[in-house]
Amino acid sequence: MATNELVHRRAVTVGQAGVVLEYAPADGADVAVLLPEWPQANVESARYLAAALTQALEQLEDAL
């Protein structure tokens, strides 16, 4: 991320899955996705992750 630039960040937790999305307009259109470490995923945790990513992206889009 560029320093002294506007950064949009959204963190969302659903169940046990927490994600952070970051977008810095000065760095281009890329969105950084920060995920938790998961030694082993199952169907339920994968659903939590998908829901957390979706919610974080929707919040990030609303902020732009």
Side-chain angles (χ1 to χ4, degrees):
M1 297 285 158
T3 57
N4 299 325
E5 297 294 336
L6 178 65
V7 174
H8 298 275
R9 180 178 296 131
R10 294 296 181 266
V12 173
T13 299
V14 176
Q16 296 91 15
V19 300
V20 178
L21 298 184
E22 293 181 348
Y23 173 69
D27 289 344
D30 292 334
V31 172
V33 180
L34 308 173
L35 300 173
E37 288 188 32
W38 283 8
Q40 185 173 6
N42 57 34
V43 172
E44 183 179 39
S45 64
R47 286 186 179 150
Y48 288 148
L49 178 60
L53 281 168
T54 300
Q55 289 180 25
L57 183 57
E58 288 171 350
Q59 290 179 19
L60 188 62
E61 288 175 331
D62 289 345
L64 300 178

